[in-house]
Amino acid sequence: MILRRLSQALKEQNWTTILVEFVLLVCGVFLGIQAANWNDARRERALEAEYITRLQRDFGAIETRLAINMTRWEDTAAAAVRLIRDLDAFRQRRTWPRDKAEMLDDLDATMGSRIPASRAASYVELLSAGRLGLLRDIRLRDALADYDTQAGFTMKAYDVLVQRVDPQRPTLVRHMRFDRGADAAQMDPEKILRNGGEPWADVDLAQLASDPGLETALNTFASASHGQVLNVRLQQGKARAVIALLEPHAKRSEGRKP
């Protein structure tokens, strides 16, 4: 309609009408573009809020796993240290300072393991899709990248440390007897999560003490467990930095909900 009037005005050389129609045309185009931009921005903000919620959920699960991992690896390291002290005491007094059952529990704990917390699935999705720009907070993007890098490093370090201790497992296992009455179906999953399966029924302490590789095995397990504690602590710090930055964004999103 505007273009038809503008064409007619040009034929008639009605410059006032031409100017008015031209201004109306430009304003219409401008407002149309602005409306489209506003709609795009609104969709992006809604998508950003959705990813903030998903990231919060991801890092809530990550934080829980890291807390469990920290407890598990601290217990594993402490168990290895107690066994080293037991061996020192045995060599001095030719008798073990603790009950066999306690030592058996620590032998089981020493060989325990715990897979590191994973990368954040929502961040990986944003990264793969090239949509990190949806997150306007540069500090949050940097913190997410830091955590992701640390998660990758922790997994590699875990693999290295596991490879270090795996050759030492036979030194301990050869003196232990598996509990043939153990029924995996009857085990409490929460207990396994916290303490391991505890599948051992007995240990021959005399043979254990005479094994020339025992001290090396215990020292290797203790060193690796302390390394795992350090890795978890570093990953926890990176995860908590992300969580602290996510909280204010999540609160603002909650405030905008109808």
Side-chain angles (χ1 to χ4, degrees), residues 168 171-172 174 210-218:
Q168 305 299 330
T171 301
L172 304 183
R174 70 168 59 103
S210 64
D211 193 318
L214 177 60
E215 186 170 8
T216 297
L218 292 177

Side-chain angles (χ1 to χ4, degrees), residues 195-238:
N195 307 315
E198 299 180 358
W200 308 107
D202 198 9
V203 56
D204 189 327
L205 293 179
Q207 289 184 4
L208 186 70
S210 64
D211 193 318
L214 177 60
E215 186 170 8
T216 297
L218 292 177
N219 283 332
T220 302
F221 275 108
S223 173
S225 297
H226 277 89
Q228 299 286 18
V229 169
L230 176 60
N231 290 332
V232 175
R233 187 171 294 130
L234 290 170
Q235 196 171 356
Q236 269 186 328
K238 301 295 185 183

Side-chain angles (χ1 to χ4, degrees), residues 167-181:
Q168 305 299 330
R169 294 181 189 277
T171 301
L172 304 183
V173 173
R174 70 168 59 103
H175 307 299
M176 301 166 69
R177 185 169 67 83
F178 185 79
D179 183 359
R180 291 167 175 77

Side-chain angles (χ1 to χ4, degrees), residues 59-73 114-118 147 151 154 231-240 243:
F59 276 90
I62 287 169
E63 185 178 33
T64 298
R65 185 174 185 86
L66 285 170
I68 294 172
N69 284 9
M70 178 62 79
T71 299
R72 182 67 177 273
W73 283 118
R114 185 76 184 159
I115 296 174
S118 65
Y147 172 81
T154 300
N231 290 332
V232 175
R233 187 171 294 130
L234 290 170
Q235 196 171 356
Q236 269 186 328
K238 301 295 185 183
R240 286 170 179 169
I243 291 169

Side-chain angles (χ1 to χ4, degrees), residues 37-92:
N37 289 341
W38 181 80
N39 284 329
D40 288 343
R42 186 177 62 174
R43 283 194 293 269
E44 286 192 353
R45 297 296 72 81
L47 194 55
E48 180 190 35
E50 179 185 335
Y51 271 107
I52 291 293
T53 300
R54 290 174 59 185
L55 285 166
Q56 268 205 313
R57 187 165 54 246
D58 286 348
F59 276 90
I62 287 169
E63 185 178 33
T64 298
R65 185 174 185 86
L66 285 170
I68 294 172
N69 284 9
M70 178 62 79
T71 299
R72 182 67 177 273
W73 283 118
E74 287 177 341
D75 290 347
T76 299
V81 170
R82 283 193 296 269
L83 290 169
I84 291 170
R85 290 172 179 165
D86 289 340
L87 181 61
D88 290 340
F90 177 83
R91 287 173 174 173
Q92 292 173 11

Side-chain angles (χ1 to χ4, degrees), residues 98-113:
R98 293 193 296 156
D99 291 340
K100 180 190 289 189
E102 294 179 8
M103 294 182 63
L104 191 58
D105 286 344
D106 277 350
L107 284 165
D108 177 50
T110 293
M111 293 185 292
S113 186

